[in-house]
Amino acid sequence: MSKPVFLNSIPDLFEHINIHEHKHISFHHHLRNGDDVINRVLSIYEAYNVKDIHLHPSAIFPSYHRILSLIKRGQITDITTSYINGDVGEYISEYGLKGNLLMTSHGTRARGIIEGKESINIAYLAVPTVDQNGNGTGTIGPSRCGSLGYAVADSEHADIVVLITDNIVDETLINPQIDGRHVDYVITVESIGDPKGIVSGITQLTTNPIGVKIAHTAATILTSLSSMKSGFSYQSGAGGISLKVTDYLRQYMETSNIKAQFFSGGITAYHVNMLTEGLVEELYDVQCFDLRAVESISQYEHHHAISASKYANPQDDTRVIKALDFVILGATEIDVNFNCNVTTDSFNTIIGGSGGHHDVAEEANVTIVVSPLIKGRIPIVKDRVTTITTPGQHIDIFVTERGVAINPNREDLINELSQTNINLLPIDTLKNIAENYTGKPKEIGQSHEPIGYILDRDYNRIDTLYKKKG
């Protein structure tokens, strides 16, 4: 395969390809709110007035403002992604798209790209360092962001692969995450973004007394289970309660001399610290959630960058989460059938998406959801969640400050935890406790105008996103 073509600016690319012929375009989100590539590229699509664009970003963050501009101009008609937060989500919730919004998990996105269900014409990939052969890595360079896990499938299966970088090196990269054999163009720019934008602001231990109590209960559950023993595997989100659970778990592991085999998913400083303290053998990192994780991935041989397929593609036999014992997740809403919503709020505004929520919940041996029973005076437990992100059969335990509900399908967990002092309650009872404080929430209702769909890991529709009621 020939070497990639090196260019000095993004507009130079369009002397080589017809921008109007390639409507399915993708981006990754590893620089999160610090990304400067997606806005730059889309500004050119706006200037060229390219129509009928189908956007395939791995996630959309509030700083990706050019997306909203192209939606309003009718140039972006369809979006397939795993997460939307900010103005784009609010606008789509109010007005919809000209075409469809499809929301998948991270593992499903990788599967779809590899199997051709999600066909991408051009992948525009921000890459912190690229060598002369087009190999790329996120672990070094002035704009390093760590793992490029969500870009790998795009880089190997898009029709045209374009790397955009601010750091070209002469020496051949060792173990690059982007293989130059698949790369068509490399564009050098002054900067691809600000790595400080990676930090989301939620990657701190909670100090809220309710959050601390929930975390302590969740950790007590973990340490009470017979499957909590040396060699276990674990994943937690980057939310404050989830990280506090991890902190309590660290204390238990130290005093009990227990060592984990691996942690997976998005990695933070807290996970890195446990690696350096010898409490966990391996970190499998699909995205770095803070700058300490970015530093670590180039520093420690047991901190591995993995692709989204290796992380959670249900058709990838080597996927890491297949061996996952425990996962701690959050939720915007949960219902009496344990269905979880992390996509919309109770008013149908899109505020997030599955990310890896559905993936790990389906595969982990024990999936624990942690949340205050009441958020903003609204009970979190519903008769039916506004939007199903993760079906209830994959949720095992729901932990609140008022008690713990175990999915009736998990009789093994009920039997084991009934021998402890943990306050076990039916989920209906938790719902009633919350409503005794708040009153029964007023039905908001749906507009009955679909604006998109939630897809499961086999690309089947599991729920519909509706336009906000006017």
Side-chain angles (χ1 to χ4, degrees), residues 47 72 75 131 145 147 152 181 183-184 217 225 268 284 323 427:
K72 287 181 175 178
Q75 292 178 247
D131 70 17
C145 58
S147 177
V152 175
R181 292 175 298 175
V183 175
D184 299 289
T217 301
L225 293 172
T268 70
Y284 293 116
I427 196 166

Side-chain angles (χ1 to χ4, degrees), residues 15 18 31 37 49 119 137 172 193 251 259 286 443 451 460:
E15 296 179 7
N18 186 339
L31 282 159
V37 165
N49 198 28
S119 179
T137 182
T172 300
Q251 296 172 34
K259 188 173 183 178
V286 72
E443 285 292 329
I451 57 170
N460 300 309

Side-chain angles (χ1 to χ4, degrees), residues 327-343:
V327 62
I328 307 294
L329 298 170
T332 306
E333 298 175 333
I334 188 169
D335 67 24
V336 293
N337 294 310
F338 287 83
N339 296 307
C340 268
N341 174 21
V342 292
T343 303

Side-chain angles (χ1 to χ4, degrees), residues 31-37 61 63-64 192-198:
L31 282 159
R32 297 163 73 87
N33 274 316
D35 188 292
D36 195 34
V37 165
F61 280 80
S63 66
Y64 304 173
I192 61 172
D194 181 0
K196 294 177 183 173
I198 294 170

Side-chain angles (χ1 to χ4, degrees), residues 305-331:
I306 61 171
S307 69
S309 181
K310 172 81 173 178
Y311 169 51
N313 175 0
Q315 293 298 305
D316 188 332
D317 289 338
T318 68
R319 65 191 183 280
V320 166
I321 62 171
K322 187 170 67 171
L324 191 58
D325 290 316
F326 309 108
V327 62
I328 307 294
L329 298 170

Side-chain angles (χ1 to χ4, degrees), residues 329-380:
L329 298 170
T332 306
E333 298 175 333
I334 188 169
D335 67 24
V336 293
N337 294 310
F338 287 83
N339 296 307
C340 268
N341 174 21
V342 292
T343 303
T344 64
D345 64 15
S346 300
F347 301 93
N348 275 310
T349 303
I350 298 169
I351 56 171
S354 177
H357 198 281
H358 188 164
D359 295 316
V360 292
E362 184 170 325
E363 302 237 19
N365 185 40
V366 178
T367 297
I368 299 175
V369 170
V370 293
S371 175
L373 194 54
I374 299 168
K375 288 183 177 178
R377 300 185 179 181
I378 299 176
I380 188 175

Side-chain angles (χ1 to χ4, degrees), residues 19-27 42 45 50-57 60 67 70-71 74-81 97 99-104 109 117-124 154 455 459:
I19 193 173
H20 296 277
E21 290 184 353
H22 307 286
K23 305 297 183 69
H24 288 253
I25 59 176
S26 76
F27 301 85
L42 290 181
Y45 277 77
V50 179
K51 302 286 191 182
D52 302 323
I53 300 167
H54 189 143
L55 198 66
H56 300 260
I60 296 175
I67 294 176
L70 269 71
I71 292 172
Q75 292 178 247
I76 290 176
T77 56
D78 300 83
I79 295 177
T80 303
T81 189
L97 296 168
N100 270 326
L101 170 65
L102 299 179
M103 299 197 70
T104 70
R109 180 179 186 274
K117 294 182 177 69
E118 193 169 337
S119 179
I120 295 172
N121 298 136
I122 308 178
Y124 293 100
D154 307 53
L455 306 182
Y459 262 72

